[in-house]
Amino acid sequence: YEEVVDTPPYRFGRIGFTWLALLVARGDTSRLPVAMTWLVLAGIFFISTAFALIAQASDWSPLTGLVAVAIPGFWTSLQMALPEPVAAALLVLGLYVFRREHFASAGLLFGASLLIRETGMILAGCLLTHLVLRRRYKEALVFGFGSLAGVLVWRAYVGVTFSSEWGFRAFLYSPPAGIPTTGIVTLWRVVSSGLYYPNQPEVVRAATVFPLVLLSGFLLTMWGVVSNLKSERVASALYALVAVSLTYENVWIHVANAQRTSYELFVMLAIVMVGTEAREWWLRRSLLAWWSCAVAYSLFLAYDARFVFDSITGF
């Protein structure tokens, strides 16, 4: 397996996108590149739709769903045919269904998302805790089983398959986590030394600015949690903590990795924004300002800003 992919327990644990791509390609591996690309595009469309539905339910304009286009990681995923938009779409659709108290359907959507990227467990865990604290144990059981059963069974199978080589890590393998902001500090140190992609100024520019977007997003999530302990706000704070804890060696080695890995922070801040009440005008305006900066980054400052701008404008 290691002759085919790096870190097999980690890669094969995220089997959902592979299954979807094979299903769309009807088992024809020569059609996988096309199938994967269309799945990513479909993911961006459906997460925009889910954002619009959640926004409309909160008396925001459905056009708010277009914020999905401003998430930098989705453009990286689109160029590389990687599954983050698909996982995010299933997650946000699951949240919308959860809010309508269709817990079985929400659990299945979350479960499908977790088979693509297990990081959705943070939001699933926050929602499950919400149900338990409200003593809605039956609903918590239904939602929890739908969300976790599939991924736990699959991870157990992967663990058994690779345990002879990887030991217990085959069951729970995950990339090493860093101390918050140390990866960013290391990145800026390398950038200031002139050794970070010296012949690619667009990458240097993005590596200088994007950490500021993440750090300001982190501060906003902390602000939101202090004012209200809603499940979505707690989840956004946890995703923000993960985003500012990305290590240089595993992620910041190229800013594209950081854009792609931090997409949950953007997703959750979109959900928090439309859920902010009018009386919290200070937080609402701050979130709108942050999203304006995120749009400006994607269009003009990201390493792939030219591609993003041309794709949107058609020039």
Side-chain angles (χ1 to χ4, degrees):
Y1 283 102
E2 289 181 337
E3 294 177 359
V4 181
V5 297
D6 63 315
T7 323
Y10 178 59
R11 301 301 179 188
F12 283 99
R14 297 176 168 183
I15 197 64
F17 190 59
T18 303
W19 286 345
L20 277 175
L22 284 169
L23 181 64
V24 172
R26 290 180 291 182
D28 184 353
T29 55
S30 67
R31 301 177 64 181
L32 281 177
V34 174
M36 292 162 67
T37 302
W38 276 109
L39 280 170
V40 174
L41 287 169
I44 295 172
F45 171 79
F46 281 112
I47 193 171
S48 296
T49 302
F51 278 153
L53 290 170
I54 290 175
Q56 199 169 18
S58 302
D59 295 326
W60 284 62
S61 168
L63 292 176
T64 308
L66 293 175
V67 297
V69 179
I71 298 177
F74 287 175
W75 290 98
T76 304
S77 298
L78 179 60
Q79 295 173 74
M80 300 180 181
L82 293 171
E84 286 75 19
V86 181
L90 290 167
L91 211 63
V92 179
L93 285 170
L95 176 62
Y96 174 73
V97 174
F98 180 93
R99 287 182 170 186
R100 297 175 69 85
E101 299 202 344
H102 300 301
F103 298 110
S105 299
L108 291 176
L109 287 166
F110 269 82
S113 178
L114 295 181
L115 282 170
I116 297 173
R117 277 188 68 95
E118 73 287 345
T119 49
M121 283 188 181
I122 292 177
L123 179 56
C126 290
L127 295 176
L128 189 59
T129 301
H130 168 79
L131 290 175
V132 171
L133 291 177
R134 288 179 173 269
R135 298 184 179 181
R136 302 185 67 175
Y137 302 121
K138 180 180 178 180
E139 291 86 349
L141 181 62
V142 169
F143 175 70
F145 182 81
S147 300
L148 302 176
V151 69
L152 291 178
V153 169
W154 175 253
R155 285 301 180 104
Y157 170 73
V158 171
V160 170
T161 302
F162 293 112
S163 60
S164 61
E165 181 71 21
W166 287 81
F168 187 71
R169 288 200 305 160
F171 293 89
L172 297 173
Y173 183 89
S174 63
I179 299 173
T181 74
T182 55
I184 293 174
V185 171
T186 303
L187 169 70
W188 280 340
R189 187 181 299 123
V190 176
V191 168
S192 64
S193 70
L195 298 176
Y196 195 81
Y197 298 90
N199 298 321
Q200 299 181 45
E202 68 279 3
V203 178
V204 175
R205 177 189 65 209
T208 303
V209 177
F210 190 61
L212 296 175
V213 177
L214 297 185
L215 289 169
S216 58
F218 172 76
L219 293 176
L220 277 176
T221 62
M222 295 299 112
W223 196 358
V225 166
V226 168
S227 63
N228 195 312
L229 283 173
K230 290 182 179 178
S231 302
E232 292 88 344
R233 294 193 184 188
V234 174
S236 71
L238 293 174
Y239 282 120
L241 183 62
V242 171
V244 300
S245 301
L246 300 173
T247 64
Y248 179 83
E249 295 78 10
N250 291 307
V251 179
W252 286 109
I253 194 68
H254 195 291
V255 69
N257 298 327
Q259 288 186 187
R260 187 173 59 84
T261 308
S262 60
Y263 76 93
E264 289 109 338
L265 171 59
F266 291 81
V267 169
M268 293 310 303
L269 279 178
I271 292 169
V272 170
M273 180 178 67
V274 299
T276 303
E277 299 176 4
R279 61 185 176 83
E280 294 180 296
W281 58 267
W282 42 271
L283 180 58
R284 179 179 290 200
R285 290 182 182 178
S286 298
L287 286 165
L288 286 170
W290 185 86
W291 270 106
S292 298
C293 293
V295 171
Y297 173 81
S298 294
L299 289 176
F300 305 110
L301 299 173
Y303 79 96
D304 54 351
R306 182 71 187 189
F307 169 78
V308 175
F309 186 86
D310 290 349
S311 298
I312 292 175
T313 62
F315 298 138

